[in-house]
Amino acid sequence: MDQNQILSPALRSKFSEFLSQAVMLADLPPLTGERDQEFLGDVLEVFIDAFWEAYVNQLDESAQKNLLAADEDETGEKMVEWMKKNADFENDEAAKKLSIEIVEDFATRLPDVISQMHSEFLKTEK
């Protein structure tokens, strides 16, 4: 199961908006090169992975174990159940609050991370 399957369109949109703001604050040159979309995709992937790692690490041990079991279900049904129980950001106030806290924490560090990622990305182009 990939990251896009576990994010609702609304949450993906919010992540994209958040990352757009962080990219603007990162003081990068204009992203008009052929590979810049690849870079932005990499940034989104890293951000989503970091978000989920931070989020899951704040959950109790039982929820973390259930996530590992859900990830092994090839049908995706257990993952959907896990998400409804542990990460329903639209309907569960505790999940929503935790996700907002994580994103707000990331907001302070993300522009610097993006700048560093861009420097590393440019090195791979040469």
Side-chain angles (χ1 to χ4, degrees):
M1 176 163 277
D2 77 22
Q3 62 181 342
N4 289 321
Q5 291 174 299
I6 60 174
L7 292 176
S8 70
L11 191 55
R12 261 197 316 268
S13 174
K14 289 184 188 296
F15 280 171
S16 294
E17 289 172 25
F18 176 78
L19 281 177
S20 294
Q21 292 174 355
V23 167
M24 286 189 310
L25 294 172
D27 193 33
L28 301 178
L31 298 177
T32 57
E34 290 181 22
R35 292 188 58 219
D36 287 333
Q37 288 299 350
E38 178 185 341
F39 167 71
L40 293 172
D42 291 349
V43 169
L44 180 60
E45 185 176 324
V46 166
F47 171 70
I48 291 171
D49 289 348
F51 170 83
W52 280 115
E53 181 178 344
Y55 184 84
V56 170
N57 285 338
Q58 294 297 317
L59 301 178
D60 62 42
E61 188 175 329
S62 174
Q64 292 179 26
K65 286 181 181 178
N66 289 338
L67 176 61
L68 293 175
D71 193 39
E72 293 184 18
D73 174 27
E74 292 182 16
T75 68
E77 291 176 17
K78 289 183 180 179
M79 184 61 74
V80 170
E81 289 174 26
W82 186 91
M83 293 291 294
K84 286 180 182 177
K85 182 177 180 183
N86 298 287
D88 185 356
F89 304 118
E90 294 172 17
N91 299 307
D92 181 340
E93 285 302 315
K96 183 177 184 175
K97 181 180 178 193
L98 178 56
S99 69
I100 289 170
E101 288 174 2
I102 291 168
V103 169
E104 287 175 350
D105 178 53
F106 283 7
T108 62
R109 295 179 282 140
L110 199 55
D112 290 337
V113 171
I114 291 171
S115 292
Q116 182 179 0
M117 285 181 68
H118 192 256
S119 293
E120 293 299 317
F121 182 78
L122 292 176
K123 290 177 186 175
T124 66
E125 286 189 315
K126 297 177 182 179

